[in-house]
Amino acid sequence: MGSSVVSIRTICFAVFLGWLLVWALIPTKVYKNTWTPKLNNKLNSTYFREQGTNLLLFSFPVMLIALLGCVYLHLQKKPNQPQSKRETRSPRLFFSQRPVLVMAPLGIVTAMELTFAVMFVALLIWSLANYLYVSFGHLHMHKAGEKVWQAKFRSVSLILGYIGNTCWAFLFFPVTRGSSILPLVGLTSESSIKYHIWLGHLSNALFALHAVGFLIYWAMTNQMAEVLEWSETYVSNVAGVIAIAIATVIWVTSLPRFRRRMFELFFYTHHLYILYIIFYVLHVGPAYFCMILPGIFLFAVDRYLRFLQSRNRARLLSACALPCGVVELNFSKSPGLYYNPTSILFVNVPSISKLQWHPFTVTSNCNMEQDKLSILVKTEGSWTQKLYQQISSSVDRLEVSVEGPYGPNSAHFLRHESLVMVSGGSGISPFISIVRELIFQSNNNPDYKIPNVHLICVFKKSADLSMLNIMLPVSDAPIVLSKLQMQIEAYVTRDSEQPKTDTQKELQSIWFKSNPSDSPVSGALGCNSWPWLAVVIASSFVMFLLLLGIVTRFYIYPIERNGTEVYHYSYKCLWDMFLVCVCVFLASSAVFLWHKKQQNAIEVKQIQNMEVPTPKTSPASWFYTADRELEESLPNQCLVQATKFHFGERPNLNKILLDVKGTDVGVLVCGPRKMRHEVAKICSSGLADHLHFESISFSW
């Protein structure tokens, strides 16, 4: 099994390097003058015409990697297995994950990320230099009387668009939440969202220069009428103008200043990406569309599967409103649904907004709580405040849709000898899931090497300490904390002394009525999602190739065969986009509906087993029984003994982290940007070689 996993990963890496090599070769003179005629002669058949070469060189390799990635992730998936030996990780791997650049707006950049960023920029510079060399060597005059410098100016503007296309080839991979490619390099969608932001800014800047350059060129050569041209035989300039206009709106509203102050404006304008893709493809043409097709194709599969999953209403069992404005939502889930600590769940409440989806960290543990999934919601924005108000008003039922959960493929950060977790406010949520995983392993796997845990949590007010009450799960099985060496230091910055009132009495629990139409939270493709995702990707892509070949050979080719007629260039683009949508729709719907049919019987049984017993006392006292109160519960007594409170002060993170003993200390942080950057800078300093910062993002 281990050799198969290594082999698959090696093949994926080799194919990826070959794919990058093609991107490096395409702007060269050798590729244009020698390889292109030979490849077009062999690959541009009557079935694919001008798209044949790019389908083979650019689309097929990435789709193959996506398929092999599904197989790799399925073979690697080994839930509930004990870890008797802590795996040793090479110093080189530790160095690659060490932060080397901590600054706004880039955030925290590790050595590996910086290396790949430099390589990508080098690819862009290489492409730019070669495109200029080839173009200036065979300069083409597009108008009589055109000056040489004007022709060169046009070539530079055109080449900037080519470089922007290279960015677009990578743009959609980071936002494919259920990606089978990102885990191959240890990434998740939430941790790689910054790459999408970087690529978005870079591509929009290049496309803006491309558009402005052509406007200047047309103005200099008295060809402004070209702006309104929609050619039947070549790319559409009008489509390009519309695309850059849409891109500008998306770009401006995604800038940090707009996104933070007007999040809803950013959220809604970002959905213009559908129109952006349509007019972008109409502008670049079908051949270039095949170069960027894999990212868009895989994103379309993921987006449609998420749409199918979100059509079902999730069965919300209960909610607990804490006095600090935090709500714990407890959903019913399929017993076979497996996820790792620090996973996230996207939530939509139609009664608040039918379009808005917000990510929240999953706090429950799928091993200890096999029928329940919990998330923590902090009331900060208007959406979360409305949710808190609805729950506090004791509603009988709340309609909720979910997408996910999504998260890391393995809890590799648990393999350290010690763990230091630094949280700010509701940033404690992912660490609750980690603590629960450690509790499960210590209670069920005697040989498991439990790392020592040092949790540093910073709160603004004393009421926020109530979040520590949900550190331990509600479980029928006894919880033993003796094997878990945990130290908690809770800092309250705005209260100088401990309040006299007992905030635990203010906990409010609400139980919701069940509805037959509600479903337990489950993956869009079931428990064995990776093999089924491979089926969807393979069947939809093969179907696309078959239909594209049929349409081209028996509909488009007969029109263009004699050379007297030309099939409209934009219609070819529309055919490509239409066939992608149809194939993704058919393959994804078929697999999803088949899985849904298999799940119906299981859900019926779960409804019978998940009936909530009627509490004899108040719901709050039944849910948070005396066994959970800090004074009486044995596990919570251990938790209290391990907790040290600091009122009216902030933690000296530099001193705390540098004083941690051990040779292998994993450091995780979740909180405000200032806190994250401070911890990253400490770990990247030469004074802390034993501190290994885990580059895991918990905030979007």
Side-chain angles (χ1 to χ4, degrees), residues 42-82:
K42 293 182 178 180
L43 300 177
N44 289 358
S45 64
T46 56
Y47 288 91
F48 297 110
R49 306 288 284 168
E50 68 270 23
Q51 303 174 78
T53 300
N54 289 345
L55 280 172
L56 179 64
L57 296 183
F58 294 95
S59 298
F60 179 76
V62 180
M63 302 305 291
L64 177 62
I65 293 173
L67 285 175
L68 293 177
C70 292
V71 178
Y72 167 83
L73 294 170
H74 178 67
L75 295 177
Q76 196 188 43
K77 185 179 178 182
K78 302 174 184 178
N80 305 338
Q81 284 196 357

Short mmCIF file of all heavy atoms in Angstrom, two decimals, residues 42-82:
data_model
loop_
_atom_site.label_atom_id
_atom_site.label_comp_id
_atom_site.label_asym_id
_atom_site.label_seq_id
_atom_site.Cartn_x
_atom_site.Cartn_y
_atom_site.Cartn_z
N LYS A 42 -0.20 16.43 -36.79
CA LYS A 42 -0.55 15.12 -36.25
C LYS A 42 -1.77 15.14 -35.33
O LYS A 42 -2.52 14.15 -35.25
CB LYS A 42 0.64 14.54 -35.49
CG LYS A 42 1.84 14.22 -36.38
CD LYS A 42 2.97 13.59 -35.57
CE LYS A 42 4.14 13.21 -36.46
NZ LYS A 42 5.26 12.59 -35.69
N LEU A 43 -1.97 16.25 -34.60
CA LEU A 43 -2.99 16.27 -33.56
C LEU A 43 -4.25 17.05 -33.92
O LEU A 43 -5.31 16.79 -33.37
CB LEU A 43 -2.40 16.85 -32.27
CG LEU A 43 -1.20 16.09 -31.68
CD1 LEU A 43 -0.66 16.80 -30.46
CD2 LEU A 43 -1.61 14.66 -31.32
N ASN A 44 -4.14 18.03 -34.81
CA ASN A 44 -5.31 18.82 -35.18
C ASN A 44 -6.10 18.10 -36.26
O ASN A 44 -6.08 18.46 -37.43
CB ASN A 44 -4.89 20.22 -35.65
CG ASN A 44 -4.40 21.07 -34.50
OD1 ASN A 44 -4.40 20.64 -33.35
ND2 ASN A 44 -3.97 22.29 -34.80
N SER A 45 -6.81 17.07 -35.86
CA SER A 45 -7.57 16.25 -36.79
C SER A 45 -8.91 16.91 -37.10
O SER A 45 -9.24 17.98 -36.59
CB SER A 45 -7.80 14.86 -36.18
OG SER A 45 -8.60 14.97 -35.02
N THR A 46 -9.67 16.23 -37.94
CA THR A 46 -11.00 16.75 -38.27
C THR A 46 -11.95 16.64 -37.09
O THR A 46 -13.04 17.20 -37.13
CB THR A 46 -11.59 15.96 -39.45
OG1 THR A 46 -11.60 14.56 -39.12
CG2 THR A 46 -10.75 16.16 -40.70
N TYR A 47 -11.55 15.92 -36.04
CA TYR A 47 -12.40 15.78 -34.86
C TYR A 47 -12.20 16.91 -33.85
O TYR A 47 -13.11 17.23 -33.09
CB TYR A 47 -12.15 14.44 -34.18
CG TYR A 47 -12.68 13.26 -34.95
CD1 TYR A 47 -11.90 12.59 -35.87
CD2 TYR A 47 -14.00 12.84 -34.78
CE1 TYR A 47 -12.40 11.51 -36.59
CE2 TYR A 47 -14.51 11.78 -35.50
CZ TYR A 47 -13.71 11.11 -36.40
OH TYR A 47 -14.21 10.05 -37.11
N PHE A 48 -11.00 17.47 -33.80
CA PHE A 48 -10.73 18.53 -32.82
C PHE A 48 -10.21 19.81 -33.45
O PHE A 48 -10.09 20.82 -32.75
CB PHE A 48 -9.74 18.02 -31.76
CG PHE A 48 -10.26 16.87 -30.96
CD1 PHE A 48 -9.72 15.60 -31.12
CD2 PHE A 48 -11.29 17.05 -30.05
CE1 PHE A 48 -10.21 14.53 -30.39
CE2 PHE A 48 -11.77 15.99 -29.31
CZ PHE A 48 -11.24 14.72 -29.48
N ARG A 49 -9.85 19.77 -34.73
CA ARG A 49 -9.37 20.96 -35.44
C ARG A 49 -8.23 21.64 -34.69
O ARG A 49 -7.29 20.97 -34.26
CB ARG A 49 -10.55 21.92 -35.68
CG ARG A 49 -11.75 21.30 -36.38
CD ARG A 49 -11.47 21.03 -37.83
NE ARG A 49 -11.51 22.25 -38.64
CZ ARG A 49 -11.08 22.31 -39.88
NH1 ARG A 49 -10.59 21.22 -40.47
NH2 ARG A 49 -11.15 23.44 -40.57
N GLU A 50 -8.30 22.96 -34.48
CA GLU A 50 -7.19 23.70 -33.87
C GLU A 50 -7.06 23.45 -32.37
O GLU A 50 -6.09 23.91 -31.75
CB GLU A 50 -7.37 25.20 -34.11
CG GLU A 50 -8.53 25.85 -33.38
CD GLU A 50 -9.83 25.83 -34.18
OE1 GLU A 50 -9.96 24.96 -35.07
OE2 GLU A 50 -10.69 26.68 -33.91
N GLN A 51 -7.98 22.69 -31.78
CA GLN A 51 -7.92 22.44 -30.34
C GLN A 51 -7.15 21.16 -29.99
O GLN A 51 -6.86 20.93 -28.82
CB GLN A 51 -9.34 22.33 -29.77
CG GLN A 51 -10.20 23.56 -30.04
CD GLN A 51 -11.63 23.36 -29.60
OE1 GLN A 51 -11.93 23.45 -28.43
NE2 GLN A 51 -12.50 23.07 -30.55
N GLY A 52 -6.84 20.34 -30.98
CA GLY A 52 -6.26 19.03 -30.70
C GLY A 52 -4.95 19.09 -29.95
O GLY A 52 -4.74 18.37 -28.96
N THR A 53 -4.03 19.95 -30.39
CA THR A 53 -2.71 20.03 -29.75
C THR A 53 -2.81 20.47 -28.30
O THR A 53 -2.20 19.86 -27.40
CB THR A 53 -1.81 21.02 -30.53
OG1 THR A 53 -1.66 20.55 -31.87
CG2 THR A 53 -0.44 21.11 -29.88
N ASN A 54 -3.57 21.52 -28.06
CA ASN A 54 -3.68 22.04 -26.69
C ASN A 54 -4.44 21.09 -25.77
O ASN A 54 -4.17 21.04 -24.56
CB ASN A 54 -4.34 23.41 -26.70
CG ASN A 54 -3.43 24.47 -27.28
OD1 ASN A 54 -2.23 24.25 -27.43
ND2 ASN A 54 -3.99 25.63 -27.62
N LEU A 55 -5.39 20.34 -26.31
CA LEU A 55 -6.08 19.35 -25.47
C LEU A 55 -5.11 18.29 -24.96
O LEU A 55 -5.19 17.89 -23.79
CB LEU A 55 -7.21 18.69 -26.27
CG LEU A 55 -8.52 19.47 -26.40
CD1 LEU A 55 -9.46 18.77 -27.38
CD2 LEU A 55 -9.19 19.65 -25.05
N LEU A 56 -4.20 17.87 -25.81
CA LEU A 56 -3.25 16.83 -25.41
C LEU A 56 -2.15 17.38 -24.51
O LEU A 56 -1.82 16.76 -23.48
CB LEU A 56 -2.62 16.20 -26.66
CG LEU A 56 -1.57 15.11 -26.37
CD1 LEU A 56 -2.22 13.93 -25.67
CD2 LEU A 56 -0.89 14.66 -27.66
N LEU A 57 -1.61 18.54 -24.84
CA LEU A 57 -0.45 19.06 -24.10
C LEU A 57 -0.83 19.76 -22.81
O LEU A 57 -0.06 19.74 -21.84
CB LEU A 57 0.35 20.02 -24.99
CG LEU A 57 0.99 19.42 -26.24
CD1 LEU A 57 1.80 20.48 -26.96
CD2 LEU A 57 1.89 18.24 -25.87
N PHE A 58 -2.01 20.40 -22.75
CA PHE A 58 -2.35 21.23 -21.59
C PHE A 58 -3.51 20.67 -20.77
O PHE A 58 -3.49 20.78 -19.54
CB PHE A 58 -2.69 22.66 -22.05
CG PHE A 58 -1.53 23.39 -22.63
CD1 PHE A 58 -1.32 23.43 -24.00
CD2 PHE A 58 -0.63 24.05 -21.81
CE1 PHE A 58 -0.25 24.10 -24.54
CE2 PHE A 58 0.45 24.74 -22.35
CZ PHE A 58 0.65 24.76 -23.71
N SER A 59 -4.51 20.09 -21.41
CA SER A 59 -5.69 19.61 -20.67
C SER A 59 -5.47 18.21 -20.11
O SER A 59 -5.72 17.96 -18.92
CB SER A 59 -6.92 19.62 -21.58
OG SER A 59 -7.22 20.93 -22.00
N PHE A 60 -5.02 17.29 -20.95
CA PHE A 60 -4.92 15.89 -20.53
C PHE A 60 -3.99 15.68 -19.33
O PHE A 60 -4.36 14.94 -18.42
CB PHE A 60 -4.46 15.03 -21.71
CG PHE A 60 -4.30 13.58 -21.36
CD1 PHE A 60 -5.40 12.76 -21.20
CD2 PHE A 60 -3.03 13.03 -21.17
CE1 PHE A 60 -5.26 11.42 -20.86
CE2 PHE A 60 -2.88 11.70 -20.84
CZ PHE A 60 -3.99 10.90 -20.68
N PRO A 61 -2.79 16.29 -19.26
CA PRO A 61 -1.91 16.02 -18.11
C PRO A 61 -2.53 16.38 -16.77
O PRO A 61 -2.42 15.62 -15.80
CB PRO A 61 -0.68 16.89 -18.41
CG PRO A 61 -0.67 17.06 -19.88
CD PRO A 61 -2.11 17.13 -20.26
N VAL A 62 -3.20 17.52 -16.69
CA VAL A 62 -3.79 17.95 -15.42
C VAL A 62 -4.98 17.06 -15.04
O VAL A 62 -5.16 16.72 -13.86
CB VAL A 62 -4.20 19.42 -15.49
CG1 VAL A 62 -4.82 19.87 -14.16
CG2 VAL A 62 -3.01 20.30 -15.81
N MET A 63 -5.78 16.68 -16.02
CA MET A 63 -6.90 15.79 -15.72
C MET A 63 -6.39 14.43 -15.24
O MET A 63 -6.99 13.80 -14.36
CB MET A 63 -7.78 15.63 -16.96
CG MET A 63 -8.35 16.94 -17.51
SD MET A 63 -9.25 17.91 -16.29
CE MET A 63 -10.68 16.89 -16.03
N LEU A 64 -5.27 13.97 -15.80
CA LEU A 64 -4.66 12.72 -15.35
C LEU A 64 -4.18 12.86 -13.91
O LEU A 64 -4.37 11.94 -13.09
CB LEU A 64 -3.50 12.34 -16.26
CG LEU A 64 -2.71 11.08 -15.87
CD1 LEU A 64 -3.61 9.85 -15.89
CD2 LEU A 64 -1.52 10.89 -16.80
N ILE A 65 -3.57 13.99 -13.58
CA ILE A 65 -3.11 14.22 -12.20
C ILE A 65 -4.30 14.23 -11.24
O ILE A 65 -4.23 13.68 -10.13
CB ILE A 65 -2.34 15.55 -12.11
CG1 ILE A 65 -1.03 15.45 -12.89
CG2 ILE A 65 -2.05 15.91 -10.65
CD1 ILE A 65 -0.28 16.77 -12.98
N ALA A 66 -5.41 14.85 -11.66
CA ALA A 66 -6.61 14.89 -10.81
C ALA A 66 -7.15 13.48 -10.55
O ALA A 66 -7.56 13.16 -9.42
CB ALA A 66 -7.69 15.75 -11.46
N LEU A 67 -7.14 12.62 -11.58
CA LEU A 67 -7.60 11.24 -11.41
C LEU A 67 -6.66 10.46 -10.49
O LEU A 67 -7.11 9.77 -9.56
CB LEU A 67 -7.68 10.55 -12.77
CG LEU A 67 -8.86 10.94 -13.67
CD1 LEU A 67 -8.72 10.27 -15.02
CD2 LEU A 67 -10.17 10.54 -13.02
N LEU A 68 -5.36 10.56 -10.73
CA LEU A 68 -4.40 9.86 -9.88
C LEU A 68 -4.44 10.40 -8.46
O LEU A 68 -4.23 9.66 -7.50
CB LEU A 68 -2.99 10.00 -10.46
CG LEU A 68 -2.74 9.31 -11.80
CD1 LEU A 68 -1.34 9.61 -12.30
CD2 LEU A 68 -2.96 7.81 -11.67
N GLY A 69 -4.72 11.70 -8.32
CA GLY A 69 -4.85 12.27 -6.98
C GLY A 69 -5.99 11.66 -6.20
O GLY A 69 -5.88 11.43 -4.99
N CYS A 70 -7.10 11.37 -6.87
CA CYS A 70 -8.23 10.71 -6.21
C CYS A 70 -7.83 9.33 -5.71
O CYS A 70 -8.18 8.93 -4.58
CB CYS A 70 -9.42 10.61 -7.16
SG CYS A 70 -10.18 12.18 -7.61
N VAL A 71 -7.11 8.58 -6.54
CA VAL A 71 -6.65 7.25 -6.13
C VAL A 71 -5.68 7.36 -4.97
O VAL A 71 -5.76 6.60 -3.99
CB VAL A 71 -5.98 6.53 -7.33
CG1 VAL A 71 -5.45 5.17 -6.91
CG2 VAL A 71 -6.95 6.40 -8.49
N TYR A 72 -4.78 8.31 -5.04
CA TYR A 72 -3.79 8.53 -3.97
C TYR A 72 -4.48 8.83 -2.65
O TYR A 72 -4.14 8.26 -1.60
CB TYR A 72 -2.86 9.67 -4.38
CG TYR A 72 -1.99 10.20 -3.27
CD1 TYR A 72 -0.79 9.58 -2.92
CD2 TYR A 72 -2.36 11.35 -2.57
CE1 TYR A 72 0.00 10.09 -1.90
CE2 TYR A 72 -1.58 11.86 -1.55
CZ TYR A 72 -0.40 11.23 -1.23
OH TYR A 72 0.38 11.74 -0.21
N LEU A 73 -5.44 9.73 -2.66
CA LEU A 73 -6.13 10.13 -1.43
C LEU A 73 -6.98 9.01 -0.87
O LEU A 73 -7.12 8.87 0.35
CB LEU A 73 -6.98 11.37 -1.70
CG LEU A 73 -6.19 12.64 -2.05
CD1 LEU A 73 -7.12 13.74 -2.54
CD2 LEU A 73 -5.41 13.12 -0.83
N HIS A 74 -7.55 8.19 -1.75
CA HIS A 74 -8.35 7.05 -1.28
C HIS A 74 -7.46 6.01 -0.60
O HIS A 74 -7.83 5.46 0.44
CB HIS A 74 -9.10 6.42 -2.44
CG HIS A 74 -9.91 5.22 -2.06
ND1 HIS A 74 -11.02 5.29 -1.23
CD2 HIS A 74 -9.76 3.89 -2.37
CE1 HIS A 74 -11.52 4.08 -1.06
NE2 HIS A 74 -10.77 3.22 -1.73
N LEU A 75 -6.29 5.74 -1.18
CA LEU A 75 -5.38 4.77 -0.57
C LEU A 75 -4.78 5.30 0.73
O LEU A 75 -4.49 4.53 1.64
CB LEU A 75 -4.25 4.44 -1.55
CG LEU A 75 -4.65 3.72 -2.84
CD1 LEU A 75 -3.45 3.52 -3.74
CD2 LEU A 75 -5.31 2.38 -2.53
N GLN A 76 -4.60 6.60 0.81
CA GLN A 76 -3.99 7.20 2.00
C GLN A 76 -4.98 7.34 3.14
O GLN A 76 -4.58 7.52 4.29
CB GLN A 76 -3.41 8.57 1.66
CG GLN A 76 -2.43 9.10 2.69
CD GLN A 76 -2.03 10.53 2.40
OE1 GLN A 76 -2.86 11.36 2.05
NE2 GLN A 76 -0.75 10.83 2.54
N LYS A 77 -6.25 7.26 2.84
CA LYS A 77 -7.28 7.47 3.86
C LYS A 77 -7.34 6.28 4.80
O LYS A 77 -7.81 5.21 4.45
CB LYS A 77 -8.65 7.67 3.18
CG LYS A 77 -9.77 8.03 4.14
CD LYS A 77 -11.07 8.23 3.37
CE LYS A 77 -12.22 8.53 4.31
NZ LYS A 77 -13.49 8.67 3.59
N LYS A 78 -6.87 6.48 6.04
CA LYS A 78 -6.84 5.40 7.02
C LYS A 78 -7.35 5.93 8.36
O LYS A 78 -6.59 6.19 9.27
CB LYS A 78 -5.43 4.86 7.21
CG LYS A 78 -4.79 4.33 5.94
CD LYS A 78 -3.36 3.95 6.19
CE LYS A 78 -2.66 3.50 4.92
NZ LYS A 78 -1.24 3.17 5.15
N PRO A 79 -8.64 6.14 8.51
CA PRO A 79 -9.15 6.67 9.75
C PRO A 79 -9.05 5.66 10.89
O PRO A 79 -9.06 4.45 10.70
CB PRO A 79 -10.62 6.98 9.44
CG PRO A 79 -10.95 6.06 8.31
CD PRO A 79 -9.69 5.90 7.52
N ASN A 80 -8.94 6.24 12.10
CA ASN A 80 -9.01 5.46 13.35
C ASN A 80 -7.84 4.50 13.53
O ASN A 80 -7.95 3.55 14.29
CB ASN A 80 -10.32 4.66 13.45
CG ASN A 80 -11.54 5.54 13.30
OD1 ASN A 80 -11.47 6.74 13.52
ND2 ASN A 80 -12.64 4.94 12.92
N GLN A 81 -6.73 4.72 12.85
CA GLN A 81 -5.60 3.84 13.05
C GLN A 81 -4.67 4.42 14.09
O GLN A 81 -4.34 5.60 14.05
CB GLN A 81 -4.83 3.64 11.73
CG GLN A 81 -5.51 2.70 10.78
CD GLN A 81 -4.58 2.23 9.69
OE1 GLN A 81 -3.44 2.63 9.61
NE2 GLN A 81 -5.07 1.34 8.86
N PRO A 82 -4.22 3.60 15.05
CA PRO A 82 -3.32 4.11 16.06
C PRO A 82 -1.96 4.42 15.47
O PRO A 82 -1.55 3.84 14.48
CB PRO A 82 -3.24 2.97 17.07
CG PRO A 82 -3.55 1.74 16.29
CD PRO A 82 -4.52 2.16 15.24
#
